[in-house]
Amino acid sequence: MEQHFLHSSYRERLIEHLFVGELLKHSWLERGCRLEVAKPEVDNSGYDLIIEENGVVRHLQLKASSRAAKTAKQNVHTALGVKPSGVVVWVQFDSDTLDLGPFLVFSGMPGEPLPDISTFQVAKHTKGNSEGFKAERPAIRSVPKRHFVRYESAVEVYEALFGKETCAYL
């Protein structure tokens, strides 16, 4: 388990690549290779990836935690709600094998904006200042786990993000 703590950035990128790989695989096998994936140069609007299929653009914030973690909420940037079809995908994974799933998704329907997060609790910094005071982060809201929809597979997430259409010419 020490490796998860010491190399958390590495693990975060690995989880992202594994998840994107599952989406691309589904696009390859079932949807005519129509999924496009882009990565922003900077992350100041709350999203990690831009994914698009058939005119539906999703600005995706990716979160990850071990299946055994007691995480009860995720911090979401308010700017994600301004994007045309923002989404938060919380990937849970097995700590030993890094197998992905289940997946928790907070979003609107394909093409719809992120549900309003303005009423959720304002997040605080995880580390205190020299006096131990943890300042509020006014652009970040804590979204409780109960507001996320659970999916067992990346394919189910794909269909939630873009609809259940399949490619007719395969």
Side-chain angles (χ1 to χ4, degrees), residues 75 120-129 133-142:
N75 291 338
F120 291 116
Q121 182 179 12
V122 175
K124 292 188 176 191
H125 286 275
T126 56
K127 296 179 183 174
N129 64 13
F133 176 74
K134 295 181 180 179
E136 287 189 340
R137 300 173 69 194
I140 309 292
R141 298 294 184 274
S142 293

Side-chain angles (χ1 to χ4, degrees), residues 19 47-49 51 58-62 80 87 89 161:
F19 176 66
Y47 60 92
D48 303 300
L49 298 168
I51 56 177
R58 293 291 208 162
H59 289 78
L60 190 146
Q61 183 176 31
L62 199 58
L80 189 61
V87 59
V89 176
L161 297 178

